Amino acid sequence: TKDRNGIGQVVLRNPRGASARISLHGGQVLSWRTDRGEELLFTSTKAIFKPPHAVRGGIPICFPQFGNRGSLEQHGFARNKIWVIDDNPPPLHPSDSLGKTYVDLLLKSSEEDLKTWPHSFEFRLRVSLAADGYLTMISRIRNINCKPFSFSIAYHTYFSISDISEVRIEGLETLDYLDNLCQKERFTEQGDALTFESEVDRVYLNSKDVIAIFDHERKRTFTIRKEGLPDVVVWNPWEKKSKSMVDFGDEEFKQMLCVDGAAIEKPITLKPGEEWTGRLELSVVPSS
Ligand code: TA6
């Protein structure tokens, strides 16, 4: 299908009716729905569908840079580029395909990219929907350059929640984090579960590979399982920052929370010909 700008989109639907919609713009997942059609990802009502800017919501991919830590635009260029469908991807493990509905996307460094980031790469993204509705994103990034390069990556995941003051995250206890609100200074998480009463913009370091987000009001739990992604970004802009974003409603901070599988503190270095794989699996289950 095409979006209103004529940019290709892919809709995945599993046998039970769960679905995901991915835009070739940025390789961005725009929607992930349960088999009852319930939307699980947040998209701002003020989102601007105007390339090259990423839509505010879904799962933009931050690559090869996270945030403003480097010479590229905020969060790198991958989310602002047109990806293509890869009809003949190098094979993944059979378990990555069996019983799954999936699409393979590809972003290759263009001449233009090489001007701002002089490294030739191939970024293969498989987005898949399992029979139970789990959404999986597998990134394979290969250095096809003649010299090593390093990158950071984050799956900037906007979860749809009912009320930010009724949400807690488990799995980040005792971790160190870099606080973007205090010049990225390093702190240690003291709390047990993480709850929210003001703006949070942190990168938790060396987390376990399973993170749980409890939406108390909606009685459901999101689970993030990740491999190759040691860090977790947690972001809610809260009221003041929301008002400064043109593509974000003033009150919308109450219905979203970004919890991103990422590799940020220690950028990943690839030698020529080397490939890195990172996996993120999202699931949602009713919780008491
Ligand atoms: O979550 C980390 C962060 O860098 C925040 O500081 C905020 O800028 C957010 O990402 C959204 O960034 P974007 O460029 O998509 O507006």
Side-chain angles (χ1 to χ4, degrees), residues 56 66-67 74-75 79 156 158 180 201 233 235 241 245:
R56 174 75 60 196
F66 180 77
Q74 163 98 334
H75 292 328
R79 67 174 179 170
H156 205 22
Y158 285 77
N180 207 26
D201 189 350
V233 179
W235 176 55
K241 177 114 184 219
M245 294 191 286

Side-chain angles (χ1 to χ4, degrees), residues 2-8:
K2 300 263 183 199
D3 70 9
R4 62 193 81 173
N5 295 308
I7 295 174

Side-chain angles (χ1 to χ4, degrees), residues 114-186:
L114 290 170
K115 288 182 204 138
T116 53
W117 198 62
H119 307 298
S120 299
F121 69 89
E122 285 175 355
F123 187 148
R124 286 185 158 82
L125 174 69
R126 170 167 293 187
V127 183
S128 69
L129 207 49
D132 46 15
Y134 288 22
L135 180 72
T136 303
M137 299 174 76
I138 303 172
S139 293
R140 291 183 287 177
I141 297 167
R142 177 180 293 281
N143 178 349
I144 51 177
N145 209 357
C146 49
K147 55 189 189 308
F149 65 66
S150 300
F151 65 90
S152 294
I153 185 167
Y155 292 95
H156 205 22
T157 312
Y158 285 77
F159 290 98
S160 174
I161 53 167
S162 54
D163 175 354
I164 187 63
S165 57
E166 296 285 321
V167 163
R168 75 177 194 281
I169 301 181
E170 288 188 359
L172 302 175
E173 300 80 1
T174 76
L175 295 181
D176 280 3
Y177 63 87
L178 307 176
D179 192 335
N180 207 26
L181 303 180
C182 316
Q183 289 79 37
K184 303 182 178 64
E185 224 181 292
R186 195 181 185 111

